[in-house]
């Protein structure tokens, strides 16, 4: 073979048929800790190098006047060889007696983090390589943190360059303790911590005679100790619609089953459109199928002609995905341009694409110290917790329930700029709120019109929707206002939280879904009062924009359409100091879960019709301002 | 041609088993092909008539239920091994393919051949011919059957790999690609190369050909102790010593060989970085 040969080796799996096992391993860690060298040594010691490869690498090194460099096996670019740094991720195949492996080499230089993620995201297990002499460094931690975000649970730590520390046990234990503590904090328990010298070949494939104090597995044995993660067939069915084909007069819905399984005859619900039909056939070219499961790219036909589009998520009715237009996310950011609250991106989740706005940056995370810092912007290679908002409803899952439909990427312009995993903590599933169960309903027309009532009352009906933190002064202002308006001859009524929870909403608890339903009912009742000619003042924290928007929509649907969002604003510090019901104290003591402002979000109005800053104005001034506003907007003629 | 009649994922006893390695490779390729077809307006597939692009065509028919819903491009250098052209024309007829033949006629008229330098010749008759076809038809997506295990720079490729206005590959700054979210947005005047077989190995390809009974050119099978392991132009493609006269023989041979696949391809060996430079210029 030519000395210039640059081919990468294919697997020589032995005559084991087509159904052998294959595991994808990422090799990650700080720059110059010897990842590429380790792969080269692994190939050499397992006799996996292509013929002539060793000689070819030697030639390349001689030409550059440098000692033999194992990294040249995978560093194929001239720039990588000339600069001695891995730029992009590469894959190479080898096998042990146990199974086939795909080894994914990931660059350790911080500049090439996007390439590291590209490689590592494909893996099912990882080797985290740490230099025994240098110890745990910035990218050791960052890569560990990313493995966790990418959902890689099997990790083996390789403490490399033991030759540089005279194969000393004490130094090994120190590194083992340091990385063990860090990984423990992010929830990773390494399957093994192996002392290795890639350059000298200790404990890579062959046990080392120079480290008799070590009793654990060699690195190759540690690889064989990993298991191939089972296909996620046990999770609920999720099949994102990838495309709809009209071949041969059949309407075929194409998609890959991400989790679960489906059978012919199953009733499927497509979210977020909520259309539903039965599977008539499972289409496979040249074959028949009665069922299909996770991992398969299939096509189905339905027993009804539904208009279903790419991006919808098919599932069974018994285990539906969440529907929401707002969710929390833990993200990593890769673009040069920083991410800021208010920025808009394209969100790609499974096969759906949706415009999305960063509603808030809650925490910026330092992956090295795991500190959470208040911040507004996320710089390149940063990590953060955000709240994202889309205009329309999206079908998704909390990442902890279903990783495959609980993660997304953000696209800025032409480029993927970051990725993240979803948490619905504190946010309700909005499906129940938008599901219409009653059909064959038609509204009757009143003979007393809205206009007649307004003339009779000498003012219009409408809703003053108060929103603000607990303790901001909503109820105090509302009750004072009610009394003053009544004296002025207004038909006026206050809807207040506890009063409704005693009756109409007695069957609702305090879960995010129940809270959302509580507000939905208040919105509907307020709309009815408004149509009856009343000025309705509602006094609820109503922390979510989606809920308030729905209340506005209810008022518009009922015909009056007269809806005014009033932001009763006071800083969290002020509210907490007032603490009229002692709730903040209980929340701080951990006695109340999901308390708005402390452990649950408050989404301030973006464009309220009226703001009453109770930390700047007195009660009297606030009430005056409200009456003034009302007289201008509710008086007929 | 053998057709699989087994129900998908079923072992006949009503319970379904997890997909094996070939099933998983196939499902991923089908997913990639369907993404390309949905996201890219002007799509075509490169078809070298070799084993890999035949597998690619087969997977396309699986993805689209027997159809090949885009044209296939054969870059004809005029130096291809004659059996390949016969085989190509047969499959075009049998599978009803929309074939586009790309030839750099100007370079051929000027007498281009490998004696002017293998890399020079490859650039003119393959890379340039391909650029001409892409420009002429305005393709925004070109599917190619390259694999990571073939060669070091291909090992670093993306599934959706952007090419610049001159079809150049900016390998120093490739886009991130994870969670099966591919780069599908790109400025006008540029295009994407799509690589649905990137994650397959040579052995996977042969095992799949055997399982699915996919037709391949006879040149791969040993005659008089020689066979082609990789197919290209007659002057630059060598045979290897082999006794593998059928699919089982080839698979057995590959299970034990330490010789790399492109060892018979002369253009790779003009210099250490010959292939890198070819690919950076827009070679497949």
């Amino acid at each position: 073979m030519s000395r210039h040969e640059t081919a990468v080796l294919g697997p020589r799996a032995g005559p084991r048929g087509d159904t052998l096992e294959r595991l994808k391993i990422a090799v990650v860690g700080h720059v110059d800790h010897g990842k590429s060298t380790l792969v080269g040594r692994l190939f050499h010691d397992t006799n996996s190098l292509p013929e002539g490869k060793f000689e070819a690498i030697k030639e390349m090194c001689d030409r550059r006047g440098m000692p033999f460099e194992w990294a040249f096996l995978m560093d194929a670019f001239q720039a990588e060889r000339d600069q001695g740094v891995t730029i992009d991720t590469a894959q190479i195949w080898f096998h042990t007696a146990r199974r086939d492996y795909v080894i994914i080499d990931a660059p350790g230089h911080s500049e090439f983090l996007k390439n590291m993620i590209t490689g590592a995201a494909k893996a099912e297990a990882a080797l985290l390589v740490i230099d025994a002499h240098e110890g745990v460094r910035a990218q050791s931690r960052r890569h560990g943190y990313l493995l966790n975000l990418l959902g890689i649970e099997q990790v083996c730590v390789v403490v490399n360059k033991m030759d540089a520390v005279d194969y000393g046990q004490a130094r090994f234990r120190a590194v083992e303790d340091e990385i063990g503590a860090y990984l423990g904090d992010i929830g990773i328990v390494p399957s093994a911590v192996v002392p290795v010298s890639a350059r000298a070949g200790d404990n890579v494939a062959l046990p080392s005679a120079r480290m008799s104090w070590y009793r654990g597995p060699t690195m190759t044995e540690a690889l064989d100790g990993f298991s191939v993660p089972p296909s996620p067939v046990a999770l609920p069915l999720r099949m994102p619609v990838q495309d709809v084909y009209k071949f041969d007069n059949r309407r075929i819905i194409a998609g890959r089953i991400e989790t679960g399984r489906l059978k012919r005859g199953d009733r499927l619900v497509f979210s977020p459109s909520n259309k539903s039909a039965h599977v008539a056939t499972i289409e496979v070219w040249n074959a028949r199928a009665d069922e299909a499961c996770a991992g398969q790219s299939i096509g189905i036909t339905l027993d009804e002609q539904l208009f279903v589009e790419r991006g919808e998520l098919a599932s069974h009715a018994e285990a539906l995905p969440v529907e929401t237009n707002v969710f929390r996310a833990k993200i990593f950011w890769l673009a040069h341009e920083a991410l800021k609250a208010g920025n808009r991106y394209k969100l790609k989740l499974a096969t759906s694409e949706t415009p999305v706005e960063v509603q808030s940056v809650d925490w910026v995370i330092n992956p090295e110290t795991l500190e959470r810092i208040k911040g507004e912007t996320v710089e390149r290679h940063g990590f953060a917790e955000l709240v994202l908002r889309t205009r329309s409803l999206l079908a998704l899952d909390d990442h902890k329930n279903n990783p495959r439909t609980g993660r997304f990427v953000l696209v800025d312009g032409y480029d993927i700029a970051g990725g993240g995993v979803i948490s619905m903590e504190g946010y309700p599933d909005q499906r129940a709120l938008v599901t219409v169960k009653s059909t064959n309903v038609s509204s009757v027309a009143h003979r007393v019109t809205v206009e007649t009532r307004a003339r009779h009352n000498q003012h219009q009906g409408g809703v003053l929707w108060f929103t603000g933190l607990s303790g901001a002064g909503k109820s105090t202002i509302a009750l004072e206002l009610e009394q003053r308006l009544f004296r002025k001859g207004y038909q006026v009524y206050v809807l207040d939280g506890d009063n409704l929870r005693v009756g109409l909403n007695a069957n609702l608890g305090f879960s995010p879904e129940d809270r959302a339903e509580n507000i939905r009912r208040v919105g509907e009742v307020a709309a009815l009062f408004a149509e009856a000619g009343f000025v309705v003042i509602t006094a609820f924290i109503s922390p979510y924009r989606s809920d308030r928007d729905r209340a506005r929509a209810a008022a518009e649907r009922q015909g009056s359409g007269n809806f005014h969002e009033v932001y009763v604003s006071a800083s969290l510090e002020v509210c907490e100091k007032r603490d009229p019901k002692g709730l903040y104290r209980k929340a701080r003591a951990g006695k109340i879960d999901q308390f708005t402002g402390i452990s649950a979000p408050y989404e301030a109005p973006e464009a309220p019709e009226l703001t009453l800053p109770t930390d700047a104005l007195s009660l009297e001034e606030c009430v005056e301002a409200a009456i003034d506003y009302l007289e201008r907007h509710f008086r007929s003629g | 041609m053998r057709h699989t009649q087994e129900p998908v994922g079923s072992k006949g006893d009503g319970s379904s088993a997890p997909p094996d390695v070939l099933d998983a490779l196939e499902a991923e390729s089908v997913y990639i092909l369907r993404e390309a077809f949905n996201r890219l307006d002007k799509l075509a597939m490169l078809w070298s008539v070799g084993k890999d692009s035949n597998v690619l065509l087969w997977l396309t028919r699986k993805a689209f239920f027997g159809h090949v819903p885009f044209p296939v491009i054969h870059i004809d250098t005029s130096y291809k091994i004659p059996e390949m052209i016969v085989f190509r024309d047969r499959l075009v007829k049998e599978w009803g393919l929309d074939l586009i033949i790309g030839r750099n006629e100007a370079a051929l008229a000027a007498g281009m051949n490998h004696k002017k330098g293998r890399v020079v010749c490859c650039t003119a008759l393959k890379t340039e011919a391909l650029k001409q076809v892409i420009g002429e038809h305005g393709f925004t997506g070109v599917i190619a059957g390259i694999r990571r295990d073939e060669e070091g720079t291909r090992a670093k490729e993306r599934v959706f790999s952007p090419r610049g206005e001159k079809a150049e590959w900016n390998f120093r700054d490739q886009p991130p690609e994870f969670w099966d979210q591919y780069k599908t947005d790109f400025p006008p005047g540029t295009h994407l190369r799509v690589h649905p077989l990137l994650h397959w190995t040579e052995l996977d390809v042969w095992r799949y050909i055997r399982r699915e009974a996919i037709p391949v050119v006879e040149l791969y099978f040993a005659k008089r102790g020689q066979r082609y392991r990789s197919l290209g132009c007659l002057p630059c493609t060598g045979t290897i010593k082999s006794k593998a006269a059928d699919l089982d023989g080839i698979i057995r041979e590959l299970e034990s060989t330490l010789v790399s696949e492109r060892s018979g391809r002369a253009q790779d060996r003009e210099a250490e970085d010959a292939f890198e430079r070819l690919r950076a210029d827009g070679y497949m």
Side-chain angles (χ1 to χ4, degrees):
Chain A
M1 175 172 302
S2 156
R3 62 197 173 89
H4 295 312
E5 184 275 328
T6 56
V8 176
L9 177 69
R12 293 169 320 290
R16 287 180 286 169
D18 295 345
T19 49
L20 31 86
E21 221 179 52
R22 187 171 295 184
L23 188 67
K24 302 188 198 90
I25 308 280
V27 185
V28 302
H30 197 76
V31 65
D32 281 340
H33 283 198
K35 295 179 292 301
S36 304
T37 309
L38 189 68
V39 176
R41 169 58 71 176
L42 175 68
F43 272 64
H44 180 266
D45 288 2
T46 54
N47 195 26
S48 307
L49 283 178
E51 208 172 84
K53 191 78 204 180
F54 186 87
E55 293 75 14
I57 293 173
K58 192 157 186 325
E59 280 274 347
M60 292 173 203
C61 296
D62 289 348
R63 201 174 316 125
R64 289 173 173 84
M66 58 188 285
F68 188 84
E69 180 51 69
W70 278 117
F72 283 9
L73 175 64
M74 298 200 85
D75 289 345
F77 293 146
Q78 291 300 297
E80 295 180 313
R81 290 173 180 166
D82 291 343
Q83 294 161 27
V85 62
T86 304
I87 293 172
D88 214 329
T89 179
Q91 298 186 11
I92 191 165
W93 283 254
F94 97 110
H95 76 275
T96 64
R98 170 93 199 263
R99 61 164 85 93
D100 281 0
Y101 288 97
V102 183
I103 300 291
I104 304 169
D105 187 30
H109 196 292
S110 62
E111 185 59 24
F112 308 121
L113 193 70
K114 67 177 164 53
N115 299 337
M116 179 272 173
I117 290 169
T118 299
K122 272 274 165 206
E124 295 149 316
L127 297 174
L128 177 58
V129 182
I130 298 172
D131 184 322
H133 183 67
E134 282 198 21
V136 180
R137 298 293 299 274
Q139 303 306 313
S140 321
R141 294 195 182 90
R142 192 175 290 261
H143 285 190
Y145 191 80
L146 268 166
L147 291 177
N148 191 37
L149 261 188
L150 295 171
I152 298 165
E153 289 165 2
Q154 305 184 85
V155 179
C156 165
V157 174
V158 177
V159 180
N160 189 23
K161 307 195 188 180
M162 285 302 293
D163 49 326
V165 295
D166 296 328
Y167 300 99
Q169 182 175 9
R171 181 62 199 149
F172 170 74
R173 294 294 172 213
V175 175
E176 182 182 33
D177 289 348
E178 192 182 3
I179 192 64
Y182 178 81
L183 293 177
D185 284 345
I186 56 174
I188 293 178
V189 180
S191 64
V193 183
V194 188
V196 154
S197 168
R199 206 160 286 283
D202 296 276
N203 283 339
V204 177
L206 309 165
S208 170
R210 287 176 282 222
M211 289 180 277
S212 51
W213 47 264
Y214 175 72
R215 303 251 175 260
T218 62
M219 191 181 90
T220 316
E221 287 165 352
L223 286 180
D224 282 346
F226 288 138
S227 51
V228 175
S231 172
V233 289
L235 289 175
L237 172 70
R238 296 289 182 263
M239 186 181 95
V241 175
Q242 193 177 9
D243 212 336
V244 180
Y245 304 127
K246 286 169 210 94
F247 292 126
D248 315 314
N249 299 318
R250 288 168 305 164
R251 200 178 150 81
I252 300 176
I253 295 169
R256 178 172 63 191
I257 302 179
E258 296 294 342
T259 57
R261 53 176 80 235
L262 68 78
K263 294 193 303 292
R264 205 144 55 91
D266 281 359
R267 198 172 116 90
L268 298 185
V269 178
F270 295 86
S271 301
S273 75
N274 278 322
K275 288 171 185 160
S276 173
H278 294 91
V279 177
T281 58
I282 297 174
E283 299 286 326
V284 187
W285 179 55
N286 264 343
R288 258 190 62 247
D290 292 323
E291 73 171 69
C293 65
Q296 294 181 318
S297 288
I298 60 163
I300 54 171
T301 63
L302 301 173
D303 65 344
E304 282 175 64
Q305 289 293 320
L306 292 189
F307 182 71
V308 176
E309 284 181 293
R310 175 182 164 98
E312 296 224 43
L313 195 51
S315 68
H316 291 127
E318 302 76 51
L320 294 163
V322 170
E323 283 185 3
T324 186
N325 63 352
V326 58
F327 56 88
R328 290 174 193 270
K330 205 182 255 191
I331 65 134
F332 49 87
W333 193 244
L334 301 171
H336 285 275
E337 195 95 13
L339 175 145
K340 291 189 179 74
N343 283 7
R344 288 162 199 269
Y345 302 102
K346 179 161 80 180
L347 176 118
K348 287 170 109 176
L349 191 160
T351 58
S352 71
E353 294 189 4
T354 322
V356 67
E357 185 181 329
V358 180
Q359 177 168 300
S360 61
V361 176
D362 293 345
W363 300 102
V364 175
I365 298 160
N366 179 339
E368 290 181 46
T369 59
L370 301 177
E371 263 179 307
R372 286 150 49 106
I373 307 144
K374 279 281 170 200
E376 292 292 306
T377 59
V378 187
E379 303 293 339
R380 180 167 182 246
H381 297 162
F383 298 82
E385 290 180 27
L386 319 171
V387 177
L388 294 172
R389 172 175 295 273
T390 58
R391 212 164 297 148
S392 49
L393 284 185
L394 210 60
L396 51 78
D397 285 293
D398 193 308
H399 185 259
K400 69 175 190 292
N401 298 330
N402 193 324
R404 303 193 66 97
T405 43
R407 65 194 185 190
F408 60 87
V409 300
L410 296 174
V411 177
D412 189 13
Y414 297 122
D415 303 311
I416 290 179
V421 300
I422 292 168
S423 162
M424 286 300 294
E425 199 190 324
Y427 282 97
D429 184 349
Q430 296 177 41
R431 178 186 296 274
L433 306 171
V434 296
T435 304
V436 176
K437 286 186 184 158
S438 41
T439 51
N440 297 322
V441 178
S442 53
S443 307
V444 294
H446 289 275
R447 293 197 192 138
V448 183
T449 65
V450 167
E451 292 76 23
T452 313
R453 288 178 205 273
R455 256 199 319 276
H456 180 84
N457 292 338
Q458 296 185 350
H459 66 81
Q460 291 160 19
V463 181
L464 280 187
W465 188 280
F466 283 20
T467 173
L469 292 170
S470 176
K474 297 179 298 297
S475 296
T476 313
I477 299 173
L479 293 171
E480 182 66 22
L481 192 59
E482 182 184 37
Q483 193 174 37
R484 301 269 285 271
L485 288 173
F486 187 79
R487 285 188 193 141
K488 281 174 166 284
Y490 278 84
Q491 298 287 338
V492 57
Y493 191 71
V494 169
L495 294 176
D496 194 81
D498 289 351
N499 300 14
L500 266 76
R501 280 198 177 265
V502 168
L504 178 64
N505 293 343
N507 62 335
L508 298 177
F510 289 88
S511 70
E513 283 73 21
D514 277 4
R515 284 171 197 242
E517 175 62 15
N518 182 39
I519 298 299
R520 188 189 73 84
R521 291 183 193 176
V522 173
E524 295 291 340
V525 171
L528 289 173
F529 267 83
E531 207 199 2
F534 276 75
V535 173
V536 195
I537 306 165
T538 66
F540 294 82
I541 299 171
S542 48
Y544 298 117
R545 265 178 219 160
S546 336
D547 289 342
R548 300 194 298 264
D549 289 347
R550 212 171 283 117
R552 186 185 293 272
E556 281 164 5
R557 182 160 28 81
Q558 291 297 344
S560 88
N562 200 8
F563 184 96
H564 303 256
E565 193 175 17
V566 179
Y567 181 23
V568 182
S569 80
S571 70
L572 180 62
E573 292 70 37
V574 169
C575 294
E576 198 167 351
K577 213 187 263 166
R578 291 179 187 157
D579 205 5
K581 300 178 193 166
L583 295 173
Y584 283 97
R585 211 158 11 91
K586 283 188 189 163
R588 288 287 183 201
K591 288 180 188 154
I592 307 177
D593 261 0
Q594 308 263 329
F595 190 75
T596 300
I598 305 289
S599 49
Y602 177 75
E603 299 170 359
E606 281 176 309
E609 272 85 357
L610 177 65
T611 300
L612 301 174
T614 63
D615 45 6
L617 302 180
S618 68
L619 171 63
E620 183 55 30
E621 286 168 322
C622 288
V623 173
E624 284 296 332
I627 290 174
D628 178 59
Y629 179 85
L630 218 91
E631 297 267 55
R632 281 187 284 119
H633 289 86
F634 282 66
R635 278 298 183 192
S636 302
Chain B
M1 221 169 286
R2 188 175 69 89
H3 295 160
T4 39
Q5 291 296 345
E6 286 285 295
V8 175
S10 169
K11 295 291 170 207
D13 58 356
S15 70
S16 59
D20 76 359
V21 169
L22 291 181
D23 289 333
L25 293 170
E26 177 191 83
E28 188 171 346
S29 299
V30 166
Y31 186 82
I32 294 163
L33 285 163
R34 287 174 174 173
E35 277 306 275
F37 185 56
N38 183 282
R39 301 325 283 162
L40 304 173
D41 292 333
K42 290 284 286 176
L43 189 63
M45 176 180 287
L46 285 175
W47 183 35
S48 74
V49 197
K51 63 185 191 312
D52 304 294
S53 47
N54 288 357
V55 165
L56 203 46
L57 267 177
W58 188 264
L59 289 165
T60 303
R61 297 170 85 211
K62 283 220 171 182
F64 306 108
F65 306 96
H67 300 260
V68 179
F70 35 71
V72 293
I73 303 169
H74 183 231
I75 299 300
D76 186 358
T77 59
S78 82
Y79 297 108
K80 292 285 168 190
I81 306 168
E83 283 94 324
M84 295 171 70
I85 303 299
V86 174
F87 179 87
R88 177 191 79 189
D89 294 342
R90 197 192 98 208
L91 272 204
V92 165
K93 233 165 97 189
E94 279 179 18
W95 289 1
L97 304 176
D98 174 8
L99 177 71
I100 296 172
I101 295 176
R103 258 182 196 255
N104 187 348
E105 297 291 357
L108 284 171
M112 176 56 71
N113 65 51
H114 67 284
K115 288 179 191 137
K116 310 205 166 178
R118 296 184 199 273
V119 171
V120 174
C121 181
C122 265
T123 301
L125 298 186
K126 287 185 170 179
T127 313
E128 271 310 313
L130 174 59
K131 285 185 198 177
Q132 287 169 10
V133 171
I134 292 172
E136 212 174 291
H137 294 264
F139 290 124
T140 52
V142 178
I143 301 168
I146 65 163
R147 305 187 327 266
R148 286 207 172 94
D149 74 325
E150 285 178 275
E151 185 277 326
T153 68
R154 284 179 174 167
K156 292 176 179 279
E157 264 286 6
R158 298 292 186 263
V159 177
F160 279 58
S161 184
R163 292 294 183 275
E165 289 185 10
K166 293 181 183 126
E168 76 281 8
W169 181 39
N170 183 7
F171 58 85
R172 282 186 187 81
D173 188 18
Q174 298 199 75
E177 185 172 83
F178 52 94
W179 295 341
D180 296 333
Q181 295 292 356
Y182 305 112
K183 182 178 178 74
T184 51
D185 302 281
F186 51 97
T190 64
H191 74 275
L192 288 169
R193 297 281 170 87
V194 181
H195 303 133
L197 288 185
L198 209 53
H199 55 299
W200 294 54
T201 66
E202 184 186 16
L203 194 47
D204 294 331
V205 165
W206 283 112
R207 283 178 176 151
Y208 189 68
I209 286 170
R210 179 172 67 181
R211 188 181 90 169
E212 304 280 314
I214 300 169
V216 288
V217 189
E218 286 294 317
L219 296 164
Y220 286 112
F221 302 111
K223 289 194 189 68
R224 291 180 295 280
Q226 297 282 319
R227 74 176 192 92
Y228 284 94
R229 188 154 162 207
S230 167
L231 290 178
C233 297
L234 190 53
C236 296
T237 310
T239 54
I240 58 163
K241 256 171 108 169
S242 170
K243 288 188 190 128
D246 56 16
L247 291 170
D248 288 340
I250 289 177
I251 289 164
R252 263 198 312 275
E253 178 186 289
L254 293 178
E255 280 170 346
S256 57
T257 187
L258 276 171
V259 178
S260 76
E261 182 181 6
R262 288 183 67 89
S263 58
R265 303 293 284 267
Q267 69 268 35
D268 296 9
R269 301 197 300 269
E270 279 203 340
E272 184 186 315
D273 63 344
F275 204 68
E276 175 176 324
R277 282 188 283 120
L278 265 174
R279 298 210 68 236
D281 281 345
Y283 186 87
M284 44 295 274

